[in-house]
Amino acid sequence: MKTLFRNAEAVIGREVVRTNVLVEGSTIVAVDAPASATADEVVDCTGLHLLPGVVDDQVHFRDPGITHKEDLFTASCACAAGGVTSFLEMPNTIPNTVSQAALEAKLALASRKSVVNYGFFVGATETNTAELKHAHRTPGIKIFIGSSTGNLLVDEQEALERIFAETSLTICVHAEDETLLQANKARIGETSDLHDHSRIRNHEVAMIATRRAMDLAFRHKHPLHVLHVSTGDETDVLAEHRNLVTAEACVHHIFLSVDDYDRLGTLAQMNPSLKNRDDNRRIWQALKDRRLQVIATDHAPHLLSEKARPYPQSPSGVPGVQTMLPMLLNQVAAGECSLVDVVEWMCEAPARVWDMVGKGRIAVGADADLVLVDMKKVHEVRNEEQLTKCGWSVWAGRSLTGWPIATWVMGRQVYRDGRVLTDHRGAEIQYDHGRGGYWATASDFAS
Ligand code: DOR
């Protein structure tokens, strides 16, 4: 089966070029095909932009074990509608993904349920270093240095030293300092004030843990990816990456601050907590300077009935896979960044960090994971259009300019004009860990 994407404004490398992209089977075979190339199907892309599918490297899809909130089918449908063609999922499911067997069980589940491509992190515990050493079919290791949703936590220095010393896969961290977080909680005492969430999980809590993780990475010469950076100060420290450390911002830490608590209530409760407007501004600047390389969602669905519990019984987290691309395309439309920036943050960079094979760019030989976007489409985010099982978005009511209108995964169309086509399944993401991660391959991608 051959598909010709004709007359597209395609993001290829660091440029937007009007071209014809030819796909054969699951692979891109030409990026400058003649408009008359023979194909079984021709997609007229006139006036539209063609991007590599988005790679979201931080999601919580709750499957297995917590499927009343989400499952791999509903979450992957939301991905397809949002132009996310590949996801990497976190280990805080039930059971936790802390062994090769649990990892492979999740991969098997996804092969039956996911309409987009999938990969799963292996989670660290204080005692599973042997499993982590031999883990495969995984992008890397996740450590919760501070506690969040679920019971995964590795806070003891000895255990952290052992994991960084004895394993080789890239480690990503939830960086909030557990000791200070608990001390803040005890000091503040009983509270129902949501603003206290950001006083408990404050700037220092984030900074201490990020510095601690970077120190471990440097001493053990171990690649590290800092997830969901929430403070401006961390972005300054991350400039000292020594070609070992990469980091990510989540959409909510770019656009929301403590000033939104009164308007949004516990819908805006997440970990790391929201900080100040000045942090939003500095995080955005750090993305532009590439002190932060990746944008992700931390898609963390909780039902509205659970969110409606009074703080602190309310759970932390917001869904995001369906809205991440439109939120960033809206920034392009507003002149705040370029489409090439968006592709770098949300496609190329995560693919490089995790040594993904064939992902993150439109190039000959790459997988045909593609998203067609209409940069002129103006549409309001609506709860009733959210395909995540939790059925709400923290961005509901926002009118955004720039939307995905069609998505292909491995050459198969999975989304078109509001409808997910559910008869195909995505593929297991492949990794070439010998490639050396973001810094090793940065120069290849620049060319
Ligand atoms: O707010 C969050 N929710 N942060 C996390 O790190 C975990 C996530 C979840 O799984 O609910």
Side-chain angles (χ1 to χ4, degrees), residues 203-280:
H203 287 72
E204 215 185 338
V205 162
M207 184 58 140
I208 291 174
T210 290
R211 271 193 196 281
R212 185 182 184 194
M214 288 178 76
D215 173 62
L216 283 155
F218 293 154
R219 281 189 294 102
H220 293 287
K221 301 210 173 359
H222 195 123
L224 169 72
H225 183 65
V226 181
L227 300 163
H228 43 39
V229 168
S230 63
T231 70
D233 287 348
E234 286 168 283
T235 67
D236 290 340
V237 170
L238 284 160
E240 303 157 25
H241 53 73
R242 298 190 203 171
N243 289 0
L244 270 175
V245 182
T246 52
E248 147 198 312
C250 286
V251 182
H252 42 267
H253 290 127
I254 302 172
F255 297 111
L256 295 177
S257 73
V258 291
D259 295 352
D260 294 294
Y261 277 152
D262 292 342
R263 181 173 63 88
L264 292 168
T266 54
L267 295 186
Q269 178 190 333
M270 74 273 299
N271 304 330
S273 67
L274 293 179
K275 305 296 190 304
N276 303 324
R277 283 219 183 132
D278 188 52
D279 295 292
N280 299 150

Side-chain angles (χ1 to χ4, degrees), residues 58 60 62 92 142 144 148-149 174 228 269-272 298 300 302 316-318:
Q58 194 191 176
H60 303 267
R62 314 298 191 205
N92 58 338
K142 165 74 182 278
F144 284 88
S148 188
T149 304
H174 179 115
H228 43 39
Q269 178 190 333
M270 74 273 299
N271 304 330
D298 195 11
H302 298 284
S316 291
V318 289

Side-chain angles (χ1 to χ4, degrees), residues 4 9 15 33 48 70 99 104 108 168 182 197 216 242 246-247 260 266 274-275 290 336 377 379 409 427:
L4 181 68
E9 300 289 335
E15 283 182 278
L48 303 171
E70 189 75 284
S99 66
E104 291 187 10
S168 58
Q182 294 303 342
H197 191 62
L216 283 155
R242 298 190 203 171
T246 52
D260 294 294
T266 54
L274 293 179
K275 305 296 190 304
R290 307 300 190 257
E336 296 291 336
K377 180 173 173 177
H379 185 71
V409 171

Side-chain angles (χ1 to χ4, degrees), residues 34-89:
S36 58
T38 47
D40 304 287
E41 192 192 355
V42 176
V43 180
D44 178 12
C45 303
T46 305
L48 303 171
H49 286 80
L50 190 66
L51 318 183
V54 170
V55 176
D56 188 349
D57 83 345
Q58 194 191 176
V59 302
H60 303 267
F61 284 173
R62 314 298 191 205
D63 198 353
I66 325 169
T67 51
H68 70 285
K69 293 179 197 274
E70 189 75 284
D71 64 53
L72 285 160
F73 179 71
T74 52
S76 66
C77 287
C79 285
V84 174
T85 53
S86 296
F87 66 79
L88 298 180
E89 207 257 358

Side-chain angles (χ1 to χ4, degrees), residues 16 45 53 121 149 172 175 211 221 233 290 343 393 408 415 437:
V16 181
C45 303
F121 285 98
T149 304
C172 60
R211 271 193 196 281
K221 301 210 173 359
D233 287 348
R290 307 300 190 257
V343 166
S393 167
W408 287 259
Y415 175 72

